[in-house]
Amino acid sequence: MRQIRAEIGAVSKADGSAIFEMGNTKVIAAVYGPREVQNRSQQMSDQTLVRCEYSMANFSTGDRMRKPKGGDRRSTEISLVIRQTVEACILTHLMPRSQIDIYVQVLQADGGTRSACINAATLAFADAGIPMRDLVTSCSVGYLHSTPLLDLNYVEHSAGGPDVTVGILPKLDKVTLLQMDSKLPIDILENVMQLSTEGCKAIANYIREILLENAKQLEYRRGV
Amino acid sequence: MVGLSLGEQCFIEGGIAQDLRCDGRRRLTYRPIHVETGVIPQANGSARVRIGATEVIVSVKAELGKPSLMQPDKGNVSIYIDCSSTAEPAFEGRGADWLSADLSNALQRCLLGAKSGAGAGIDRSSLVVIEGKICWDLYIDGLVISSDGNLLDALGAAIKAALSNTGIPKVQIAAGASSDEQPEVDVSDEEFMQFDTSGVPVIITLTKIGKHYIVDATPEEESQMSSAVSISINRQGHVCGVTKRGGVGIDPTVILQMVSAAKHVSEQLINKLDSEIASAEAEDES
């Protein structure tokens, strides 16, 4: 697994925010909410409305890309994936008739952006104080030359082997996200899932340390 | 965007009239500025600038291209700003399009000079490789991560820092190419030419509230403004571009006063920025 680094509270204006780095992939997530629903027709009387937007900066990939901000299909798909993953772990019934917005911006892309986004989102939600069942952590696993590989970067990703992205709730041991492309023999799948679960648990430990550190800082500043 | 009660509005205006703003600053004082360079490793140059809580990242990428027919001895520079939705929920989807376009145009006006290329803050003739055939295209991309007022100044400072961090690769021209063929160029991976930024201006935005003007306005102060003038000034004290925003008219003598106040503030700002950039680069190398 690549080196991970996280920072809480990057955007002071947001209710919660975090920067998450996995190797060269760097992602910033900001949470605004719970707040009043902007679009009355979407309001839900028994739970909160979660909205997500994923976008990549112009300079995030090697070749500079110019693409429409909200329009392209990959962004829409990843926004949907993040939203569903995160909705599964937030206690949405505690905040009815409200809206939570999560905005994820990719600053540097080097493979595993989906996973970095979900990890950043978890940290941002924790920073915002939104009640959750458990942390959601995610990492990607590939299979090249008969070896399962944890946390692929862009070069390994383009090599053409399968790419499995897994998101789990580590304490509850439940899978919330599973996406795979290309082909993989079924007996290898179990190995790959095992590896990804270990990877996710390692990330979860790191996230817990960061949150503990943050809580100690807040305690210190409050003079406790 | 910012909701203020009548009491708060009077407080802001009254405070500014007495040279004391809500966060204790004087009228012509900037918030603390932090500069980090080299934040985007795959770009030719990059910088991240924080003024108070406003945070922007600028990256500079250089690609080989063809110079325009009207100016064969100059390279091309394009500036594009994007406002990320992490800065403001209102920037989601297409919400920030007008602001991004506004900022991009203001920056182009201040840094790139007239259509004929005269009076530009950035020296484009240093970007040419073979006159009329090959030149460097500089793409300057800015991203606003957190918006807490005074975006234009932050972006101007970040562009200056990113350009001082930019290394343009050295190019070897294959000898013996005839004049109408496309010559072969070999882009070096090792050697870089530092971009000359001594002429790059900084942008100072003066916001007029009541009868006085302030520098580096917060969003609360910006919501109370009658008009704002952004002036770009370089190290020599020359004015490189002026942009006026806001609906209320300003007396011409007041504008001249604002320009001279901006010149005065710009000296301090340029010195501060240069020292921050130098220390950021030193940290980057260590």
Side-chain angles (χ1 to χ4, degrees):
Chain A
M1 186 156 192
R2 294 177 289 182
Q3 192 183 32
I4 40 182
R5 209 181 77 86
E7 205 186 292
I8 301 189
V11 180
S12 41
K13 243 186 145 181
D15 293 316
S17 61
I19 297 188
F20 200 86
E21 281 179 65
M22 287 170 91
N24 280 334
T25 300
K26 191 164 171 183
V27 156
I28 184 170
V31 170
Y32 288 89
R35 57 196 190 120
E36 200 174 320
V37 181
Q38 306 288 304
N39 191 353
R40 267 301 164 77
S41 59
Q42 290 174 341
Q43 191 178 5
M44 290 190 279
S45 56
D46 58 342
Q47 52 174 295
T48 181
L49 176 71
V50 178
R51 286 166 71 238
C52 170
E53 188 187 289
Y54 164 94
S55 62
M56 299 185 77
N58 272 343
F59 43 77
S60 54
T61 53
D63 313 313
R64 180 179 177 269
M65 52 190 211
R66 285 284 305 262
K67 33 175 281 297
K69 195 164 153 185
D72 80 315
R73 290 157 54 128
R74 183 171 172 271
S75 296
T76 320
E77 192 238 330
I78 299 186
S79 307
L80 191 65
V81 160
I82 298 178
R83 183 171 73 75
Q84 286 175 340
T85 312
V86 155
E87 225 172 353
C89 86
I90 301 182
L91 298 170
T92 50
H93 60 274
L94 288 181
M95 299 163 286
R97 285 180 285 274
S98 65
Q99 171 179 319
I100 298 181
D101 290 316
I102 167 117
Y103 300 116
V104 187
Q105 178 85 33
V106 176
L107 298 173
Q108 275 168 240
D110 188 27
T113 48
R114 216 169 290 224
S115 310
C117 288
I118 293 177
N119 295 328
T122 298
L123 265 176
F125 277 116
D127 186 36
I130 291 179
M132 297 195 280
R133 269 184 206 102
D134 193 0
L135 305 169
V136 189
T137 52
S138 159
C139 70
S140 62
V141 186
Y143 188 72
L144 280 177
H145 297 304
S146 0
T147 336
L149 293 170
L150 184 59
D151 197 13
L152 305 171
N153 67 14
Y154 185 69
V155 179
E156 290 162 353
H157 187 90
S158 351
D163 173 26
V164 186
T165 308
V166 175
I168 65 166
L169 301 172
K171 273 241 164 76
L172 300 176
D173 239 336
K174 293 209 159 114
V175 175
T176 60
L177 169 69
L178 181 57
Q179 280 188 325
M180 188 184 101
D181 52 20
S182 184
K183 290 187 294 198
L184 190 64
I186 294 189
D187 37 348
I188 309 288
L189 184 61
E190 216 186 292
N191 258 358
V192 160
M193 287 290 299
Q194 181 66 20
L195 187 59
S196 65
T197 313
E198 282 170 27
C200 288
K201 292 213 166 122
I203 298 182
N205 281 338
Y206 179 72
I207 288 186
R208 255 183 228 116
E209 271 172 36
I210 293 278
L211 287 173
L212 205 58
E213 186 64 46
N214 190 41
K216 284 195 183 136
Q217 281 274 343
L218 290 173
E219 226 181 1
Y220 171 71
R221 281 184 207 153
R222 279 199 157 183
V224 169
Chain B
M1 278 196 302
V2 184
L4 289 178
S5 70
L6 196 54
E8 281 174 302
Q9 290 170 17
C10 290
F11 191 74
I12 291 179
E13 235 184 276
I16 288 174
Q18 296 187 15
D19 201 16
L20 183 64
R21 292 153 74 173
C22 290
D23 48 11
R25 284 184 287 156
R26 310 199 55 187
R27 283 199 284 259
L28 297 178
T29 314
Y30 267 87
R31 287 174 286 185
I33 304 180
H34 295 281
V35 176
E36 257 175 70
T37 52
V39 288
I40 313 273
Q42 57 233 43
N44 292 79
S46 59
R48 174 173 163 185
V49 166
R50 235 179 313 146
I51 300 187
T54 298
E55 192 170 335
V56 302
I57 293 187
V58 166
S59 92
V60 178
K61 280 217 166 110
E63 281 167 26
L64 284 175
K66 208 165 169 341
S68 78
L69 290 168
M70 288 181 294
Q71 288 155 32
D73 60 338
K74 291 198 160 69
N76 301 319
V77 178
S78 80
I79 304 183
Y80 177 73
I81 307 293
D82 188 23
C83 295
S84 167
S85 20
T86 54
E88 253 333 292
F91 290 169
E92 188 181 343
R94 305 209 86 96
D97 275 357
W98 64 269
L99 182 60
S100 311
D102 195 21
L103 290 169
S104 308
N105 284 334
L107 285 165
Q108 277 176 344
R109 205 175 304 133
C110 290
L111 295 168
L112 295 181
K115 282 210 170 69
S116 63
I122 299 179
D123 179 24
R124 287 160 59 194
S125 21
S126 61
L127 294 174
V128 78
V129 176
I130 300 177
E131 198 170 307
K133 296 226 182 83
I134 301 187
C135 69
W136 284 108
D137 284 339
L138 273 191
Y139 294 103
I140 304 183
D141 290 308
L143 180 70
V144 175
I145 296 183
S146 172
S147 144
D148 199 33
N150 208 18
L151 290 175
L152 204 52
D153 293 18
L155 284 165
I159 290 182
K160 192 172 162 73
L163 283 173
S164 18
N165 183 240
T166 302
I168 313 247
K170 287 219 166 86
V171 190
Q172 304 279 5
I173 307 170
S178 75
S179 59
D180 38 289
E181 260 177 26
Q182 193 65 7
E184 294 263 317
V185 282
D186 177 35
V187 180
S188 156
D189 274 334
E190 305 290 317
E191 291 162 24
F192 289 90
M193 195 174 62
Q194 285 299 115
F195 196 76
D196 175 29
T197 54
S198 53
V200 177
V202 290
I203 303 181
I204 315 247
T205 303
L206 287 164
T207 312
K208 189 158 189 288
I209 296 177
K211 288 205 193 105
H212 304 269
Y213 37 87
I214 54 174
V215 126
D216 195 15
T218 60
E220 291 83 23
E221 291 163 344
E222 268 178 5
S223 68
Q224 294 308 301
M225 76 171 187
S226 53
S227 47
V229 181
S230 300
I231 302 160
S232 112
I233 302 188
N234 68 9
R235 188 171 270 276
Q236 281 83 35
H238 298 153
V239 175
C240 301
V242 178
T243 309
K244 180 198 170 291
R245 284 178 289 135
V248 177
I250 309 183
D251 199 85
T253 45
V254 177
I255 294 197
L256 289 174
Q257 278 174 18
M258 283 166 116
V259 171
S260 58
K263 265 198 207 160
H264 177 69
V265 173
S266 72
E267 282 164 24
Q268 296 161 8
L269 181 62
I270 290 184
N271 288 337
K272 176 107 205 320
L273 265 184
D274 282 338
S275 64
E276 284 283 324
I277 294 175
S279 61
E281 304 239 293
E283 243 181 73
D284 200 25
E285 263 153 52
S286 66

